[in-house]
Amino acid sequence: MKTISVIVPCFNEEPIVEETNQRLVQVLSSIPDFDYEIIYINDGSKDKTLEVLWKMAKNNPKVKIISFSKNFGHENATFSGLNEVSGDCVVIIDADLQDPPELILDMITLWKSGYDVIYAIRKVREGETWLKKATSKLFYRFLRILSDTDIPLDTGDYRLIDKKVKDALVSLKEKNLFIRGLVSWVGFKQIGLEYHRSPRLKGETKYNFIKLTKLAIDSILAFSNKPLQLSLSFGLFFILASFLGITYILIGKINNPKVIVEGWASMMITILLLGGVQLLSIGILGEYIARIYSEVKGRPNYIIESKANFEQK
Ligand code: UDP
Ligand code: MG
C-alpha cells in the first residue's frame, strides 16, 4: 500500500487547525489503496495550537507533530516536514483552509499518470487585499525576469511532490530557503493545476508586509545574480556619462576660459546620483554577503523541541 504524506506548517492556528484536520482526514481516507500521514509543524505558536495538535495526535496515530523551540518561519517549518516524511508522495498545504484539501484528489490522479510535481495555481484569490494581490502578481513577474530558473507564476506552496523530488530537496544544503523556487530548480516532470483560493476561514494572515518583503528579497537573491550585474551596469553607465560630462567641461573651458563656474546645481545632482548608485550597489553586495555569511555559519534552520507519533529511530 502506498502512503501519502501531508505537511502542514502552523503558526498561531489554534482557531482553525482542528477543522483543517477534519477536512484533510476526510479527503485522505477517501482515497482507495492509500494510507496517509499528516505532519503538523508547530512553528513556535504563541496560542494553544500545540495543545490542540496534541489532542488530535492522541486521537489519531496518523497525525504527527513536530514542534519547534521558537518561530523559525514558514519555509523552515515546511522543510522540517520534508525531512521527516515517509510517504511515496508529499503534499504541502497551509493550515488555514485557503487551499481546498479536496484538490489533493486531482493531484493524486495527475501523480498516478506520471507527473512528479503538481503545483496549484491560484486562479482566483479571495479575501486578500488588492495591495497584496497586486504586489504578489508583480513580484512573480519580476522574479521571472530576473531568474534563470523557471518559477511558475502565481503559485504558493500548495503542491504535491513525488518522493524522489522530496529526496532531491532534502539533499540540498542551502540555508536561505525558497521552497517554491527550489522545487522548480530540481526539475522532474512538473504540471500546474488551477484552483480557486478562498479567504482564510479563521485567524489572520501571518504574512505581514515585512515578512512578505523578506520572502521576496530572499527568493530574488537566491535565484538570481542579476542584481549584482545590475550594479555593474549602473556603474559602467555612470562612468561613461561622467566622461561625456568631463569632455563637455574641458571643451567649454578651452573655448571660453573666462566663464564663471556656475554648475553648482549640476554638480550636486551628479554627486547625489552617483552617491545613490554607489550606496545601492554596496547594498546589493551587502545582501549577498549577508547570505553567504549565514550559509557559512552553518546554523541549523530550525530546532525541534518535541515530536509526537513518529516511530523511534
Ligand atoms: N506559517 C508558519 N510560520 C510563520 C508564518 C506562517 O508556519 O512564521 C504558516 C501559517 O500557519 C499557514 C501558512 O504558513 O499555515 C501560510 O501563512 P498565512 O496563511 O498566514 O499566509 P497567507 O496565506 O496570508 O499568505
Ligand atoms: Mg493563508
Side-chain angles (χ1 to χ4, degrees), residues 8-13 41 43 71-75 77 93-96 98 122 125 128 132 197 200 204-207 211-212:
V8 194
C10 305
F11 177 52
N12 295 346
E13 302 287 5
I41 299 95
D43 184 14
N71 180 267
F72 284 98
H74 180 197
E75 302 286 314
I93 190 169
D94 284 356
D96 58 3
Q98 277 192 290
R122 305 155 168 178
R125 296 175 74 156
E128 283 168 311
K132 180 160 180 176
R197 186 161 158 102
R200 188 179 241 284
E204 54 195 40
T205 176
K206 275 81 200 174
Y207 270 101
K211 261 194 174 174
L212 272 179

Side-chain angles (χ1 to χ4, degrees), residues 108-134:
I108 292 279
T109 314
L110 282 167
W111 177 60
K112 280 186 185 156
S113 71
Y115 287 99
D116 301 311
V117 175
I118 299 104
Y119 52 86
I121 305 170
R122 305 155 168 178
K123 195 72 200 149
V124 183
R125 296 175 74 156
E126 270 183 54
E128 283 168 311
T129 59
W130 68 265
L131 186 69
K132 180 160 180 176
K133 283 191 270 197

Side-chain angles (χ1 to χ4, degrees), residues 54 56-58 60-65 307-311:
W54 274 107
M56 283 159 32
K58 231 182 220 160
N60 183 351
K62 293 175 184 174
V63 168
K64 305 179 179 180
I65 306 173
K307 282 192 199 173
N309 286 352
F310 284 96
E311 279 164 33

Side-chain angles (χ1 to χ4, degrees), residues 16-75:
I16 192 164
V17 72
E18 211 157 4
E19 194 174 335
T20 307
N21 189 51
Q22 277 166 13
R23 286 266 295 277
L24 277 172
V25 168
Q26 204 175 22
V27 170
L28 294 170
S29 48
S30 76
I31 308 172
D33 308 323
F34 266 89
D35 200 5
Y36 71 88
E37 63 173 357
I38 311 176
I39 302 180
Y40 292 91
I41 299 95
N42 173 41
D43 184 14
S45 299
K46 297 201 167 56
D47 60 2
K48 297 213 169 68
T49 304
L50 187 59
E51 287 171 36
V52 181
L53 290 177
W54 274 107
K55 216 166 64 194
M56 283 159 32
K58 231 182 220 160
N59 293 332
N60 183 351
K62 293 175 184 174
V63 168
K64 305 179 179 180
I65 306 173
I66 300 171
S67 186
F68 284 178
S69 61
K70 71 166 184 52
N71 180 267
F72 284 98
H74 180 197
E75 302 286 314

